[in-house]
Amino acid sequence: MKAIKMRIQKSSRPLVILLATVVAIITSIVVANATQTITTPNAASISYSLAAGGNSAAITPAINKPVLVMGCCTTMGDIGNGHVSLLHFSSGGGALIDWSGVESFNGSAPATTGGGSNIVGDHIVYIDADHLVSIQVNSADTIRVHNGEAFTRAGTVTLIW
Protein backbone atom coordinates (compact mmCIF):
# COMPACT_ATOMS: atom_id res chain seq x y z
CA MET A 1 0.00 0.00 0.00
CA LYS A 2 2.85 2.33 0.83
CA ALA A 3 4.43 1.71 -2.58
CA ILE A 4 1.20 2.63 -4.39
CA LYS A 5 1.00 5.93 -2.47
CA MET A 6 4.60 6.77 -3.45
CA ARG A 7 3.87 6.14 -7.14
CA ILE A 8 0.80 8.39 -7.06
CA GLN A 9 2.72 11.18 -5.30
CA LYS A 10 5.67 10.92 -7.72
CA SER A 11 3.46 10.96 -10.80
CA SER A 12 1.37 13.91 -9.55
CA ARG A 13 4.35 16.28 -9.10
CA PRO A 14 4.82 17.00 -12.82
CA LEU A 15 1.07 17.45 -13.12
CA VAL A 16 1.06 20.03 -10.30
CA ILE A 17 4.00 21.90 -11.89
CA LEU A 18 2.24 21.90 -15.26
CA LEU A 19 -0.98 23.18 -13.69
CA ALA A 20 0.90 25.95 -11.83
CA THR A 21 2.61 26.98 -15.07
CA VAL A 22 -0.73 27.19 -16.90
CA VAL A 23 -2.23 29.30 -14.09
CA ALA A 24 0.80 31.64 -14.14
CA ILE A 25 0.55 32.09 -17.93
CA ILE A 26 -3.19 32.81 -17.83
CA THR A 27 -2.71 35.27 -14.97
CA SER A 28 0.03 37.09 -16.91
CA ILE A 29 -2.18 37.35 -19.99
CA VAL A 30 -5.11 38.74 -17.98
CA VAL A 31 -2.90 41.28 -16.18
CA ALA A 32 -1.29 42.39 -19.46
CA ASN A 33 -4.70 42.96 -21.04
CA ALA A 34 -6.03 44.77 -17.96
CA THR A 35 -3.27 47.37 -17.91
CA GLN A 36 -4.66 50.89 -18.20
CA THR A 37 -2.75 54.04 -18.92
CA ILE A 38 -3.56 56.77 -16.44
CA THR A 39 -2.35 60.25 -17.21
CA THR A 40 -2.13 63.11 -14.76
CA PRO A 41 -4.50 65.90 -15.78
CA ASN A 42 -3.25 69.38 -16.51
CA ALA A 43 -4.75 72.17 -14.47
CA ALA A 44 -4.60 75.94 -14.20
CA SER A 45 -6.03 78.05 -11.41
CA ILE A 46 -6.61 81.79 -11.86
CA SER A 47 -7.56 84.06 -8.96
CA TYR A 48 -9.47 87.25 -9.66
CA SER A 49 -10.41 90.38 -7.77
CA LEU A 50 -12.41 92.68 -10.01
CA ALA A 51 -13.81 96.15 -9.44
CA ALA A 52 -17.38 96.85 -10.53
CA GLY A 53 -17.69 96.36 -14.29
CA GLY A 54 -14.16 94.90 -14.53
CA ASN A 55 -12.86 92.05 -16.66
CA SER A 56 -10.03 89.65 -15.93
CA ALA A 57 -7.11 89.09 -18.24
CA ALA A 58 -7.75 86.69 -21.13
CA ILE A 59 -7.72 82.98 -20.20
CA THR A 60 -6.76 80.58 -23.00
CA PRO A 61 -8.21 77.05 -22.69
CA ALA A 62 -6.41 74.09 -24.28
CA ILE A 63 -7.16 73.77 -28.00
CA ASN A 64 -9.35 70.94 -29.36
CA LYS A 65 -9.56 69.15 -25.99
CA PRO A 66 -12.40 68.97 -23.49
CA VAL A 67 -11.74 71.35 -20.61
CA LEU A 68 -13.60 71.42 -17.30
CA VAL A 69 -13.97 75.07 -16.27
CA MET A 70 -15.05 75.69 -12.68
CA GLY A 71 -15.48 79.15 -11.24
CA CYS A 72 -16.44 80.51 -7.86
CA CYS A 73 -17.08 83.84 -6.18
CA THR A 74 -15.76 83.91 -2.62
CA THR A 75 -16.96 87.40 -1.65
CA MET A 76 -19.14 87.12 1.45
CA GLY A 77 -22.80 87.77 0.66
CA ASP A 78 -22.41 86.68 -2.98
CA ILE A 79 -20.69 83.29 -2.79
CA GLY A 80 -21.45 80.85 -5.54
CA ASN A 81 -20.00 78.49 -8.11
CA GLY A 82 -20.73 77.25 -11.60
CA HIS A 83 -19.05 74.93 -14.06
CA VAL A 84 -19.02 73.98 -17.73
CA SER A 85 -17.41 71.48 -20.04
CA LEU A 86 -15.80 73.68 -22.64
CA LEU A 87 -14.20 73.17 -26.02
CA HIS A 88 -11.87 75.75 -27.53
CA PHE A 89 -12.28 74.60 -31.12
CA SER A 90 -9.71 75.75 -33.64
CA SER A 91 -9.29 74.33 -37.12
CA GLY A 92 -8.54 75.65 -40.59
CA GLY A 93 -8.49 79.29 -39.57
CA GLY A 94 -11.79 79.11 -37.67
CA ALA A 95 -12.11 79.25 -33.90
CA LEU A 96 -15.01 79.00 -31.46
CA ILE A 97 -15.69 78.53 -27.76
CA ASP A 98 -18.35 75.82 -27.17
CA TRP A 99 -19.76 74.89 -23.73
CA SER A 100 -22.43 73.19 -21.63
CA GLY A 101 -22.83 73.18 -17.85
CA VAL A 102 -24.60 74.39 -14.74
CA GLU A 103 -25.07 77.98 -13.52
CA SER A 104 -24.44 78.95 -9.89
CA PHE A 105 -27.31 78.43 -7.45
CA ASN A 106 -29.29 81.60 -6.78
CA GLY A 107 -32.25 80.34 -4.76
CA SER A 108 -34.31 78.99 -7.64
CA ALA A 109 -34.03 75.68 -9.45
CA PRO A 110 -30.51 75.11 -10.83
CA ALA A 111 -30.25 76.24 -14.44
CA THR A 112 -28.18 74.80 -17.25
CA THR A 113 -26.15 76.78 -19.74
CA GLY A 114 -24.84 75.94 -23.17
CA GLY A 115 -23.81 77.47 -26.44
CA GLY A 116 -21.06 78.26 -28.86
CA SER A 117 -19.67 81.65 -29.76
CA ASN A 118 -16.69 83.74 -30.79
CA ILE A 119 -18.40 87.04 -29.90
CA VAL A 120 -16.84 89.12 -27.12
CA GLY A 121 -19.03 89.32 -24.01
CA ASP A 122 -21.27 86.32 -24.74
CA HIS A 123 -22.32 84.67 -21.47
CA ILE A 124 -20.91 81.22 -20.63
CA VAL A 125 -21.69 80.59 -16.92
CA TYR A 126 -22.60 82.56 -13.77
CA ILE A 127 -20.29 81.91 -10.83
CA ASP A 128 -21.93 84.01 -8.09
CA ALA A 129 -25.25 83.93 -6.23
CA ASP A 130 -26.55 87.19 -7.74
CA HIS A 131 -25.85 86.02 -11.31
CA LEU A 132 -23.79 89.12 -12.05
CA VAL A 133 -20.29 87.61 -12.03
CA SER A 134 -19.78 85.40 -15.04
CA ILE A 135 -17.32 83.70 -17.28
CA GLN A 136 -17.70 85.14 -20.78
CA VAL A 137 -16.29 84.72 -24.26
CA ASN A 138 -13.34 87.11 -24.61
CA SER A 139 -12.42 86.18 -28.20
CA ALA A 140 -12.66 83.18 -30.50
CA ASP A 141 -9.71 81.72 -28.56
CA THR A 142 -10.08 83.02 -24.98
CA ILE A 143 -12.48 83.45 -22.08
CA ARG A 144 -12.58 85.97 -19.20
CA VAL A 145 -14.27 86.66 -15.87
CA HIS A 146 -16.62 89.67 -15.87
CA ASN A 147 -17.90 91.44 -12.75
CA GLY A 148 -21.31 92.98 -13.49
CA GLU A 149 -21.86 93.75 -9.78
CA ALA A 150 -21.73 97.29 -8.35
CA PHE A 151 -19.01 96.20 -5.91
CA THR A 152 -15.65 94.40 -6.07
CA ARG A 153 -15.89 90.62 -6.35
CA ALA A 154 -13.16 87.99 -5.88
CA GLY A 155 -12.80 84.27 -6.50
CA THR A 156 -11.05 81.63 -8.53
CA VAL A 157 -11.43 79.95 -11.91
CA THR A 158 -9.92 76.49 -12.41
CA LEU A 159 -9.40 74.74 -15.75
CA ILE A 160 -8.70 71.00 -15.92
CA TRP A 161 -7.85 69.19 -19.15
Side-chain angles (χ1 to χ4, degrees):
M1 186 97 158
K2 197 173 189 183
I4 294 173
K5 259 189 177 177
M6 291 278 284
R7 284 187 200 149
I8 292 173
Q9 286 177 346
K10 284 182 181 180
S11 65
S12 67
R13 278 187 190 157
L15 191 60
V16 169
I17 292 171
L18 178 65
L19 184 58
T21 303
V22 169
V23 168
I25 291 169
I26 291 172
T27 302
S28 296
I29 291 169
V30 169
V31 169
N33 288 333
T35 302
Q36 181 179 4
T37 303
I38 298 174
T39 56
T40 304
N42 296 308
S45 186
I46 300 102
S47 294
Y48 67 88
S49 180
L50 300 171
N55 293 314
S56 71
I59 302 166
T60 306
I63 297 172
N64 295 333
K65 292 184 178 186
V67 178
L68 174 59
V69 180
M70 302 173 285
C72 67
C73 178
T74 56
T75 303
M76 197 55 132
D78 195 21
I79 61 170
N81 68 84
H83 65 275
V84 293
S85 291
L86 182 141
L87 174 63
H88 168 201
F89 175 77
S90 183
S91 178
L96 175 76
I97 304 292
D98 181 80
W99 67 91
S100 62
V102 180
E103 307 276 13
S104 63
F105 180 71
N106 69 347
S108 60
T112 59
T113 179
S117 176
N118 57 11
I119 299 170
V120 177
D122 275 1
H123 170 78
I124 295 175
V125 64
Y126 289 116
I127 57 175
D128 73 320
D130 292 338
H131 281 193
L132 292 170
V133 179
S134 65
I135 297 174
Q136 299 178 340
V137 174
N138 189 60
S139 72
D141 295 302
T142 61
I143 59 176
R144 68 184 183 195
V145 180
H146 173 72
N147 179 13
E149 268 291 3
F151 305 99
T152 299
R153 293 293 183 251
T156 304
V157 173
T158 301
L159 287 73
I160 301 174
W161 68 98

